[in-house]
Amino acid sequence: MALLEVTDLHKNFDQLQVLKGISFSLEKGQTLSVIGPSGGGKTTLLRCLNFLEMPSAGKIAINDDKGSHVLFDGSAGKELKAAQIRENRLHFGLVFQSFNLFPQYTALQNVSLAPQLRAKGKEDRKAQLQAIEEKSVDLLRRVGLGDKLNYYPHQLSGGQQQRVAIARALALTPDVLFFDEPTSALDPELTGEVLSVIRQLAQENMTMVVVTHEMGFAQAVSDQVLFIDGGVIVEQGPPEQVLGAPAEERTRQFLRGFAKD
């Protein structure tokens, strides 16, 4: 059974249909790259999966170590309450294009904040906070920032800020990590250091969905590739098929545009 199952997902903004029936499944430890032109629905898909936007129809399910959880079922006709949305989001970590770090907090504080807010109980709170800080330090070391723990975002390069954002997304131990074009706000020379961290996570069998315009990266790291255009999946499959020998003319046209860049 797949870790993440997405079935016939739709998203409408009033009369505008942005997602028109997206379906895919992702096994634990796999990396899925989502490619496609701007405005095709890639970011909206991630926002719906993370419940920053509420899907209009379809189904989202997670099958983790604790069992099967239907996070959203559009056919049930029930609106999710705020508490349910918060619980659903705990299954996922999200890394944004523009980092979204808190400027008033250090790198370590940015990573540890969410786990601290979720720490429960009073008697062992001190021990919990100590464990959270130790884990946060470990995560920052893992992304190569062990020497930047007490640096504020304005003291870090764009690549370093994005690596803090990755550590922060990992802090609550999500089932799936989402990346929304994680290198689009970076200079080319900083892109490599962020992609290197994502490659490392793939080697460690972190389950990931990566919206990206880096075709070489998608080719090297992905287990699956989705090509989305106009709110539908035009083509999906292993990278050697979708990127190396695409069956659809629309996919070939899109990839030719990248070859010219």
Side-chain angles (χ1 to χ4, degrees), residues 73-79:
D73 186 352
S75 66
K78 297 179 181 179
E79 288 192 12

Side-chain angles (χ1 to χ4, degrees), residues 51-88:
F51 298 95
L52 293 173
E53 301 284 354
M54 194 54 57
S56 302
K59 186 176 179 180
I60 302 170
I62 280 279
N63 305 297
D64 61 16
D65 295 337
K66 298 178 182 178
S68 298
H69 314 275
V70 176
L71 307 184
F72 175 81
D73 186 352
S75 66
K78 297 179 181 179
E79 288 192 12
L80 295 181
K81 297 179 180 178
Q84 292 174 295
I85 293 172
R86 285 195 298 271
E87 286 299 311
N88 285 351

Side-chain angles (χ1 to χ4, degrees), residues 125-197:
R125 184 169 177 80
K126 186 175 181 180
Q128 288 186 60
L129 295 179
Q130 178 65 29
I132 288 168
E133 181 169 322
E134 290 175 358
K135 180 179 178 181
S136 299
V137 169
D138 182 63
L139 286 171
L140 285 166
R141 286 174 176 160
R142 206 169 144 194
V143 299
L145 294 174
D147 60 338
K148 306 291 185 184
L149 302 179
N150 297 313
Y151 281 53
Y152 289 88
H154 75 273
Q155 297 173 303
L156 301 172
S157 70
Q160 289 169 337
Q161 289 183 59
Q162 191 62 295
R163 284 187 278 155
V164 173
I166 293 171
R168 181 180 62 181
L170 289 167
L172 289 174
T173 317
D175 293 306
V176 185
L177 193 55
F178 297 141
F179 293 86
D180 186 10
E181 297 200 22
T183 62
S184 65
L186 300 177
D187 294 334
E189 64 185 26
L190 298 177
T191 293
E193 65 186 59
V194 173
L195 294 181
S196 177
V197 171

Side-chain angles (χ1 to χ4, degrees), residues 207-218:
T207 311
M208 297 185 288
V209 177
V210 185
V211 171
T212 184
H213 57 271
E214 301 285 346
M215 295 302 130
F217 167 81

